[in-house]
Amino acid sequence: MSEFLKTAEFLGAKLMREAIWDGERCNWFGWPVTELRSGRPVVVQRMCGPDFYYGTSGIAFFLAHLYSATGEHLFRRTSECAMRQAMSRLDDIPTAQRLSFQSGLIGIAYALFNLARLCEIEKFNQIGLFILEEACNDIDNIEFDSTSISALLSMHREQPKDFILRTAVSLGENSEATPQGLLDLFQHTGEERFRKRAEEQLNVEPCVNGKLPTVLAGLRALQVLKNDIYVEKAQAALCEITESFDRPSDFSLGSGLAAQADTLIEAARILDNSDYYLAANRIAGFGIDQYRKDNLPWCFAPDKSETPGLMNGLAGVGYMYLRLFDNSKHSSVRFS
C-alpha cells in the first residue's frame, strides 16, 4: 500500500477512535476556546459545529473520500453519521453566513453532494439541493467568503440548476469577489466583464492575501487566460516553498504545511512540472517521519493541540495525503 494512502488511513482510523457517538450521529471535540469562569480564564474544548472548514461536514467529506480509496465500510458509516450530525445543526448557522462555503450552508451542501457520489447515498443529493436552494433564496445583506463563487460553480457542473448559477453570478457582481472567483465565472459563463475585473485585480494587488493565494490565483489565471505573465509571481512564491519549507507547529490544510503541499500538487498538475510534486512529497515525508511513525500528536496552531477539522486539523492532513496518493480523484478544496 502507498505510504500516502497508509497515512490517510491512519488518520481516518484516529478520527473514528475519537468520535463521540449518539445513535446515528457522531461528533468530535473541536478547537479549544477560552471562557471566563468566576473571572478566571479557563480553556475548554467545544464540540464541532456543522460547518465544512472546521466542523463535522468537512470531516465527513474526508472520510467519504477515504472510503472511496480504501473500500473500508467503517469510514463510510462514520462519514454518513458525521453528516447526519451536521444536518441536525443547520439552525446553528446565522442567517448572514449561509452563503459562506467555509462556515455556512454552501459548504455543507458541497459535502452532501460528495457523500452522495462517493458513498452512493442518493438522498443526500436531494437534501443538498434543498439546502442550497434555501441558502440561495435571498442573497440581500448576506455575507459570502472568497471561496463561495468557485464552490457554487463547482457544484453547478454536477448539479446544473439555474438558481446555483444565478447566485454565483450575483456574488460575482459584488465588489468583494476575488480574482479566482471571477476567473471561474468567466470560464463558466464567457462574460468578458468577469475576465476584465479579474485581470484588474491580478495586476493591481497580486499579493494581497499572501504567497499561497497568490500562487493559486496565478495558476488559475494561467489555466483560464492562457497567458504566462500571470504565473510569474506565482513561480516566485513557489520557489520559496520548494527551496526551503518552514516546519511550524501548524500542519493544517488551511494555512500550514498541508496547505503548502496542496498548493504544490496543484502547481505540479497545472504546470506539468514534477519538481513541485517532489517538493510536496518532501513535506508529506516530514509529516510521516515526525508524527505518524511514532504516533505523536499532529500539532496545530494556536495551542499545539490536535483538532479534527478539515481546514484546521486531522481530516485536512489526511485529505492532503489522499491528494498525493491520487489527485485525479481527490481534487483540492482550497478554491482561493
Side-chain angles (χ1 to χ4, degrees):
M1 179 187 292
S2 160
E3 281 296 305
F4 298 145
L5 181 57
K6 188 183 297 184
T7 304
E9 193 168 18
F10 171 85
L11 292 167
K14 187 176 181 69
L15 283 168
M16 289 199 304
R17 287 194 303 271
E18 295 175 354
I20 301 167
W21 289 84
D22 179 15
E24 293 299 306
R25 295 180 292 151
C26 63
N27 202 342
W28 288 262
F29 284 116
W31 196 268
V33 294
T34 301
E35 295 181 352
L36 286 177
R37 295 183 180 177
S38 302
R40 295 182 179 180
V42 177
V43 177
V44 298
Q45 280 191 300
R46 64 179 181 181
M47 302 301 289
C48 290
D51 57 281
F52 186 75
Y53 261 39
Y54 311 119
T56 56
S57 61
I59 299 170
F61 170 90
F62 162 59
L63 292 173
H65 278 266
L66 187 56
Y67 162 69
S68 74
T70 64
E72 173 53 66
H73 282 272
L74 285 175
F75 293 137
R76 182 187 185 278
R77 179 172 185 269
T78 308
S79 173
E80 181 179 0
C81 293
M83 196 70 244
R84 290 185 183 279
Q85 170 64 20
M87 290 188 291
S88 75
R89 303 307 298 269
L90 296 180
D91 290 342
D92 291 352
I93 298 174
T95 301
Q97 293 180 14
R98 61 186 180 179
L99 277 179
S100 167
F101 177 66
Q102 300 175 9
S103 59
L105 296 180
I106 289 181
I108 294 173
Y110 183 85
L112 279 163
F113 294 144
N114 273 267
L115 264 70
R117 173 171 52 86
L118 297 170
C119 300
E120 298 180 339
I121 308 174
E122 178 57 34
K123 61 185 174 183
F124 279 1
N125 273 325
Q126 282 70 49
I127 296 171
L129 282 171
F130 175 78
I131 290 173
L132 201 54
E133 191 164 14
E134 285 293 305
C136 296
N137 189 44
D138 181 9
I139 66 170
D140 293 335
N141 301 316
I142 296 292
E143 300 172 5
F144 68 101
D145 54 55
S146 60
T147 49
S148 296
I149 295 172
S150 296
L152 282 167
L153 294 174
S154 175
M155 288 186 280
H156 184 256
R157 294 184 190 98
E158 295 188 13
Q159 306 286 341
K161 303 293 183 181
D162 289 343
F163 75 86
I164 301 176
L165 182 57
R166 283 199 306 270
T167 303
V169 170
S170 295
L171 296 181
E173 292 167 345
N174 190 293
S175 61
E176 299 298 318
T178 62
Q180 189 155 333
L182 293 168
L183 287 167
D184 287 344
L185 274 169
F186 168 64
Q187 185 180 48
H188 207 86
T189 66
E191 295 190 31
E192 285 292 321
R193 56 182 176 138
F194 295 127
R195 178 196 58 78
K196 182 178 179 181
R197 284 179 55 206
E199 288 190 300
E200 288 172 353
Q201 291 189 34
L202 286 166
N203 292 331
V204 174
E205 298 179 304
C207 300
V208 67
N209 290 319
K211 63 183 178 182
L212 294 184
T214 296
V215 171
L216 292 175
L219 293 174
R220 195 75 185 103
L222 178 66
Q223 275 188 304
V224 176
L225 303 177
K226 312 299 183 185
N227 190 334
D228 290 347
I229 192 172
Y230 293 111
V231 84
E232 290 178 2
K233 290 185 175 63
Q235 287 178 322
L238 281 166
C239 286
E240 293 183 37
I241 301 172
T242 55
E243 290 175 0
S244 62
F245 68 88
D246 296 328
R247 298 188 177 189
S249 59
D250 183 5
F251 211 100
S252 73
L253 185 59
S255 58
L257 288 179
Q260 291 187 22
D262 184 82
T263 302
L264 289 165
I265 295 168
E266 286 298 280
R269 180 180 66 84
I270 294 169
L271 299 175
D272 193 24
N273 187 331
S274 61
D275 289 344
Y276 296 129
Y277 189 79
L278 292 175
N281 284 1
R282 190 157 59 96
I283 293 173
F286 169 71
I288 292 170
D289 292 339
Q290 187 77 7
Y291 302 111
R292 197 203 83 191
K293 283 186 177 179
D294 295 323
N295 196 19
L296 297 176
W298 294 73
C299 295
F300 306 99
D303 69 342
K304 300 184 180 180
S305 64
E306 282 191 336
T307 52
L310 185 68
M311 301 305 282
N312 68 339
L314 296 175
V317 178
Y319 192 65
M320 180 270 288
Y321 280 103
L322 277 182
R323 297 249 300 132
L324 280 167
F325 170 65
D326 188 349
N327 68 74
S328 66
K329 293 182 179 177
H330 312 289
S331 58
S332 179
V333 294
R334 295 175 58 249
F335 293 109
S336 69

